[in-house]
Amino acid sequence: MYLSDLHTGGKGVIIKVRGRGSFRKRILDMGFIKGRTVEVILNAPLQDPIKYKVMDYEVSLRRSEAALIDVITGENTVERQDTPFSTLSEDVHRDFSTDTRTIHVALVGNPNAGKTSLFNVASGAHEHVGNYSGVTVDAKEGWFRHKNYTFRIIDLPGTYSLTSYSPEELYVRHYLTEQSPDVVVNVVAASNLERNLYLTTQLIDMDTYMVIALNMYDELEMSGHRLDYEMLGKMIGAPMVPTVSTQGRGIDRLFDRIIEVFEQREPDMRHIHINYGKVLEDSIAHIRNELKVKTDIGKNYSKRYFSITLLEHNRETERLLRQMSKRECDDILKLRDAETRRAEALLNEDCEQAFTNARYGFIAGALCETYTENPHKRRSITDLIDPVVTNKYLGYPIFLIFMWLMFSGTFMLGIYPQQWIEAGVSWLSQQISGFMEEGSLKDLLIDGIIGGVGGVIVFLPNIAILYFFIAVMEDSGYMARAAFIMDKVMHKMGLHGKSFIPLIMGFGCSVPAIMSSRTIESRNSRMITMLVNPLISCSARLPVYLLLAGAFFPSHGGLVMLALYTTSILLAVVMARLFKRFLFPKEDVPFVMELPPYRRPTALAIFRHTWQKAQQYLRKMGGIILIASIIIWSLGYFPRHTVSIDRFEQQIAQTQTTGDEKETEKITAQLKMAHQEESYIGRIGKIIEPVLRPLGFDWRISVSLLTGMAAKEVVVSTLGVLYSGDEQAFELPDKLQTATRADGTPAFTPLTAFCLMLFVLIYFPCIATITAIKNESGSWKWGLFTIVYTTTLAWIVVFAVNKIGCIALTGQ
């Protein structure tokens, strides 16, 4: 707990003092050191400041300052403030040791530097690792035990710098300054030092306790280049540890160095200042002195770093400054503007560029003394592959071939395990049907739960295969190339090439895809990407496609699926263009995206990613789909008695006494039809049927679309429940092929099936997607707008397709 949390009269033992710079030194000099007991004497009338007693004298601290001191409390806390740590009671000593041996570690690095891989190895977590920018879109927390220390590890989003141009940069910067981790692990791609070390220079300016993980060090070794990382670590004041996180190499040594830095026993750890030249250094000193006199910003920020970011005209720094009194803020900003004009006149370039050049100059100088390139540099596999897959003539055909292989493989390879699961579901239904007596419970189990959930779970292998293909493309680095070759297309849509990554991720699930749009610096492009992402066909729609394509297009299932996915992309293009034209016409940030080297995907990473998605799908089976199936069955099962149902039952009883089996079967079929139409769900379907009848849909299809708003897989489970009464066929595809309407016409034709797939592709995103749009955009307005425009667009497109199809098939 924090010292500020103690009540009047409370006592605690200090275990850690956070903060930095002059504030931390002042606090330590006042006696607030590890192991000392501190007592709360009293609070000021407005609860701030607070008077404390430590080392037999009284001192007052502001509540914000006390919040930077960690303490432990308990019944065994010593009574005397001058008791040395060695004489504390055994319980307090144990508690103290446990708390002080917890090290808060933040992983910071460029996208694609291997942070998440290192996090997975260290913490045992199974976050997905992709070989492109923007996999980690939020902080992940894990725990790790090493040499009697507990490490609390935070995997922060990948970022190239600590400016304020993207949500990731802002998030990382806020975390480092406000949470004050004990040690920052700067994960650096050893194969691209010059670019990766730029972030390191900003961490140096922030005055962080840092250890540098030279990740993917095997690539540097294989290239034949040489790096004196020990000397480089001494030069920049932070120890460097070579690691290969995918193999677990160097991880133990990395955490050994973290412990040494935490205990302040690391000889290479020292605070250095990057020399920005006399002109800029004078400006930094002038602003820093002004901050010392007029502000109290130094508890969380290094004043030097704050001064530098002010000179860089960093928007977030200016926002923090404006939180102080207006007069102080205006005085400092006037000084900043004057120093900026002076420096730019002398340097003949703007301050931001001057700082950037100085940082890269510092990096170049350090590498010049420690890094030796292989004079016989060999062409890498990236050099061999890229000219082919990014070729202006071959790039697009290769991309389409990959997409076709993915969708065809999902359809064709999934048939066999799908049939095995179908057989298992059929066997289970037959067993329950054989030993249970007739009644509502039996109907619930067979028609409700097994008919609903069983109709969806059979597509688990197809879902796993789809995610397998996506994981291979992501981890190999090809996904970034797909974004590169689609950059021009994205620009014609009014988007960045970076937008292509969230759109491709949308083939898996719209929710993380929308969250990954945070990596797009431009808000306008980010908003357009979020709004069109629901049009990209996610894996939740896949069971609907597999069911209907397998039933009505058995010989061309792969082509039908490719047509649907192509349609989703084309619609996204059209709508993005319209949004760019009418809603978000301005653009403010240019397209910049890294093309990482190709890497061989590890079997473990691919398996983990695929298994995680399969688990998510299975959890849906036991969650929303199970509940939805039971609700839909209940609405379709009740009421049990109406006037027409009772009349049909009397007619059946009469025909059974006469022995007319054909008449009995005919009336029984009419009874089932009447019961479905007069059930609660039938009544709901009849209400919405007029809206969807022009699309070729009857009331049962209308109901399935209504329930599919919760989750698209529920469309299949709803069809499974509504068509469960058909005794002519047991499996759902066969039931759909033989199903008829009240007038005897087929409920499904190939055209109806295709229109239904198309409608499911476009209409109302699931509730989770709408919530993600609301969270990322900051307003329900855009979530509601997405519901309206997608559903309207679905109706218009499917109406046109249905009319054209009817004219082509019947001439009417």
Side-chain angles (χ1 to χ4, degrees):
M1 67 185 300
Y2 304 138
L3 181 59
S4 59
D5 296 329
L6 290 179
H7 299 295
T8 301
K11 297 180 181 180
V13 178
I14 299 172
I15 60 172
K16 187 187 301 181
V17 177
R18 290 174 285 115
R20 63 183 74 249
S22 59
F23 162 76
R24 190 170 189 274
K25 186 177 186 305
R26 181 171 66 88
I27 289 293
L28 295 174
D29 290 345
M30 291 167 64
F32 289 86
I33 58 176
K34 184 170 69 173
R36 288 292 178 181
T37 300
V38 60
E39 179 182 0
V40 183
I41 302 301
L42 58 86
N43 283 262
L46 297 179
Q47 304 302 307
D48 200 7
I50 306 170
K51 183 186 288 187
Y52 296 98
K53 187 174 184 181
V54 62
M55 296 178 67
D56 282 332
Y57 75 98
E58 297 179 353
V59 60
S60 67
L61 293 178
R62 293 178 181 174
R63 185 170 293 274
S64 60
E65 295 173 336
L68 293 172
I69 301 174
D70 296 349
V71 298
I72 57 171
T73 61
E75 295 179 0
N76 298 308
T77 302
V78 290
E79 297 294 332
R80 288 172 51 83
Q81 281 71 44
D82 59 350
T83 304
F85 178 61
S86 59
T87 64
L88 295 179
S89 70
E90 183 178 346
D91 289 340
V92 172
H93 198 289
R94 184 180 64 250
D95 293 342
F96 181 90
S97 299
T98 301
D99 281 19
T100 55
R101 286 182 178 272
T102 298
I103 305 177
H104 177 188
V105 176
L107 301 183
V108 180
N110 285 191
N112 198 46
K115 281 187 311 81
T116 306
S117 294
L118 194 152
F119 175 78
N120 287 344
V121 172
S123 68
H126 298 154
E127 297 299 332
H128 175 50
V129 181
N131 191 15
Y132 62 89
S133 170
V135 174
T136 309
V137 294
D138 209 342
K140 308 294 190 304
E141 181 175 352
W143 298 84
F144 177 66
R145 291 284 298 173
H146 179 71
K147 291 188 175 178
N148 296 321
Y149 285 83
T150 298
F151 293 86
R152 177 191 173 213
I153 308 171
I154 307 296
D155 179 21
L156 295 172
T159 178
Y160 294 106
S161 70
L162 295 176
T163 56
S164 308
Y165 293 118
S166 74
E168 280 65 37
E169 294 171 348
L170 213 52
Y171 186 96
V172 173
R173 183 172 162 178
H174 278 171
Y175 189 91
L176 294 180
T177 54
E178 295 176 9
Q179 298 299 320
S180 297
D182 298 318
V183 180
V184 171
V185 174
N186 180 205
V187 184
V188 170
S191 58
N192 197 343
L193 287 171
E194 188 171 13
R195 199 279 320 282
N196 278 247
L197 287 174
Y198 183 82
L199 178 60
T200 308
T201 62
Q202 293 181 310
L203 293 172
I204 291 172
D205 286 336
M206 290 186 75
D207 191 18
T208 59
Y209 288 94
M210 179 167 54
V211 177
I212 298 174
L214 291 170
N215 204 27
M216 297 177 279
Y217 198 75
D218 54 335
E219 294 183 7
L220 178 69
E221 293 174 325
M222 287 187 292
S223 69
H225 305 317
R226 295 289 179 266
L227 174 68
D228 187 347
Y229 59 85
E230 292 183 352
M231 176 60 71
L232 183 58
K234 287 183 172 67
M235 292 175 65
I236 66 177
M240 288 187 160
V241 181
T243 60
V244 183
S245 55
T246 55
Q247 301 173 17
R249 277 178 52 190
I251 303 300
D252 288 345
R253 180 58 184 145
L254 174 66
F255 283 91
D256 288 343
R257 301 301 284 269
I258 293 173
I259 293 171
E260 291 169 2
V261 168
F262 175 73
E263 296 290 354
Q264 299 185 9
R265 293 186 279 105
E266 171 56 56
D268 292 346
M269 186 66 207
R270 63 191 179 93
H271 178 58
I272 69 167
H273 285 169
I274 296 171
N275 192 324
Y276 291 107
K278 185 177 187 329
V279 174
L280 290 177
E281 288 294 339
D282 286 347
S283 296
I284 293 170
H286 292 158
I287 296 175
R288 187 169 180 269
N289 291 335
E290 191 77 1
L291 289 171
K292 279 184 178 180
V293 174
K294 295 190 174 181
T295 70
D296 197 20
I297 199 72
K299 293 194 297 296
N300 293 321
Y301 282 89
S302 157
K303 288 187 175 64
R304 176 179 170 84
Y305 173 71
F306 202 85
S307 303
I308 291 170
T309 53
L310 275 176
L311 285 167
E312 292 178 308
H313 288 262
N314 188 282
R315 293 171 297 188
E316 177 62 13
T317 305
E318 293 182 13
R319 185 190 66 81
L320 290 171
L321 192 60
R322 288 193 178 93
Q323 291 179 354
M324 308 170 199
S325 70
K326 188 176 186 304
R327 181 177 176 181
E328 291 174 344
C329 172
D330 290 343
D331 289 345
I332 294 171
L333 289 179
K334 285 179 182 178
L335 175 63
R336 187 276 310 272
D337 293 340
E339 290 296 332
T340 299
R341 289 192 297 270
R342 183 189 69 84
E344 290 179 351
L346 293 172
L347 296 173
N348 199 27
E349 62 179 346
D350 65 81
C351 283
E352 187 174 6
Q353 183 64 47
F355 278 112
T356 301
N357 291 341
R359 289 184 183 117
Y360 276 116
F362 172 82
I363 295 167
L367 291 179
C368 185
E369 296 187 35
T370 58
Y371 182 75
T372 305
E373 283 197 1
N374 181 5
H376 307 292
K377 185 178 179 181
R378 297 174 298 175
R379 294 189 71 190
S380 67
I381 189 171
T382 300
D383 296 331
L384 297 174
I385 297 176
D386 265 353
V388 178
V389 299
T390 61
N391 184 277
K392 65 178 181 178
Y393 300 112
L394 299 177
Y396 293 106
I398 290 173
F399 174 69
L400 290 175
I401 288 171
F402 275 132
M403 293 294 104
W404 179 81
L405 287 174
M406 180 171 73
F407 300 135
S408 295
T410 300
F411 187 82
M412 296 169 64
L413 297 177
I415 288 177
Y416 304 103
Q418 181 181 341
Q419 290 175 344
W420 303 335
I421 297 176
E422 282 179 346
V425 172
S426 299
W427 176 84
L428 179 61
S429 294
Q430 290 170 349
Q431 295 300 310
I432 293 176
S433 180
F435 75 82
M436 285 192 71
E437 296 182 357
E438 296 294 331
S440 300
L441 180 60
K442 178 180 178 180
D443 292 339
L444 171 62
L445 289 174
I446 295 177
D447 298 334
I449 296 176
I450 296 178
V453 176
V456 181
I457 201 172
V458 297
F459 301 109
L460 175 63
N462 307 89
I463 298 292
I465 292 170
L466 175 67
Y467 275 108
F468 172 83
F469 279 108
I470 292 176
V472 169
M473 288 197 295
E474 289 176 349
D475 291 8
S476 66
Y478 178 74
M479 196 72 86
R481 271 68 187 180
F484 176 77
I485 65 174
M486 294 298 291
D487 178 41
K488 191 170 184 178
V489 176
M490 293 291 105
H491 274 287
K492 289 186 179 298
M493 293 168 58
L495 297 173
H496 285 314
K498 272 189 178 182
S499 299
F500 189 69
I501 294 296
L503 295 181
I504 288 294
M505 288 180 68
F507 286 129
C509 180
S510 297
V511 175
I514 289 168
M515 292 175 65
S516 72
S517 64
R518 296 179 193 173
T519 59
I520 303 168
E521 291 85 354
S522 165
R523 183 183 183 276
N524 286 349
S525 288
R526 189 162 64 247
M527 287 299 302
I528 296 173
T529 304
M530 284 192 289
L531 293 177
V532 302
N533 210 297
L535 295 175
I536 300 300
S537 186
C538 67
S539 61
R541 299 168 167 102
L542 188 59
V544 181
Y545 304 158
L546 294 170
L547 170 67
L548 298 174
F552 297 96
F553 307 95
S555 301
H556 306 287
L559 289 175
V560 169
M561 287 179 60
L562 181 60
L564 289 167
Y565 281 89
T566 303
T567 301
S568 75
I569 295 173
L570 292 175
L571 288 173
V573 169
V574 172
M575 295 309 299
R577 192 63 187 163
L578 291 174
F579 292 153
K580 176 67 176 177
R581 176 71 175 83
F582 297 105
L583 295 180
F584 306 99
K586 296 181 180 179
E587 194 53 78
D588 49 4
V589 179
F591 165 65
V592 179
M593 185 171 182
E594 176 189 9
L595 290 180
Y598 288 101
R599 295 192 176 97
R600 182 184 303 163
T602 63
L604 180 59
I606 297 294
F607 172 77
R608 278 179 173 175
H609 183 214
T610 305
W611 175 239
Q612 284 173 3
K613 299 305 178 182
Q615 281 182 313
Q616 291 177 9
Y617 191 71
L618 288 173
R619 282 195 291 269
K620 274 190 176 182
M621 300 302 104
I624 187 171
I625 293 175
L626 174 61
I627 294 171
S629 297
I630 294 174
I631 293 173
I632 293 163
W633 174 85
S634 301
L635 293 174
Y637 193 76
F638 298 103
R640 300 302 296 166
H641 297 284
T642 64
V643 174
S644 59
I645 290 174
D646 291 342
R647 185 175 66 251
F648 281 125
E649 286 179 346
Q650 293 173 0
Q651 293 177 3
I652 291 173
Q654 293 173 0
T655 56
Q656 286 176 341
T657 57
T658 60
D660 191 345
E661 295 183 0
K662 289 185 178 181
E663 187 65 19
T664 300
E665 292 177 0
K666 178 181 177 181
I667 299 175
T668 300
Q670 293 174 339
L671 171 63
K672 289 179 179 179
M673 184 66 70
H675 181 263
Q676 278 200 337
E677 292 185 357
E678 296 187 15
S679 66
Y680 296 125
I681 202 166
R683 296 171 188 176
I684 295 172
K686 291 292 183 179
I687 293 173
I688 61 176
E689 183 183 22
V691 179
L692 297 177
R693 189 183 299 124
L695 311 184
F697 302 155
D698 66 3
W699 70 268
R700 286 182 286 191
I701 298 176
S702 302
V703 168
S704 70
L705 292 172
L706 181 65
T707 58
M709 292 178 179
K712 293 299 174 284
E713 299 97 335
V714 179
V715 172
V716 174
S717 62
T718 303
L719 293 174
V721 172
L722 294 179
Y723 289 97
S724 61
D726 191 342
E727 303 296 339
Q728 297 177 350
F730 192 83
E731 294 180 354
L732 184 54
D734 298 328
K735 293 177 182 179
L736 299 183
Q737 290 172 335
T738 58
T740 58
R741 296 174 179 166
D743 58 3
T745 59
F748 279 91
T749 64
L751 178 60
T752 307
F754 185 78
C755 287
L756 177 56
M757 288 187 281
L758 200 56
F759 198 90
V760 170
L761 164 67
I762 306 171
Y763 90 118
F764 195 114
C766 68
I767 298 299
T769 299
I770 297 301
T771 303
I773 292 174
K774 177 264 176 186
N775 291 337
E776 296 302 314
S777 67
S779 172
W780 277 110
K781 174 181 71 174
W782 295 113
L784 296 174
F785 172 76
T786 304
I787 293 173
V788 173
Y789 103 77
T790 53
T791 307
T792 304
L793 179 65
W795 196 96
I796 293 171
V797 171
V798 174
F799 177 79
V801 170
N802 184 58
K803 287 301 178 185
I804 294 170
C806 288
I807 293 171
L809 294 174
T810 64
Q812 299 179 354

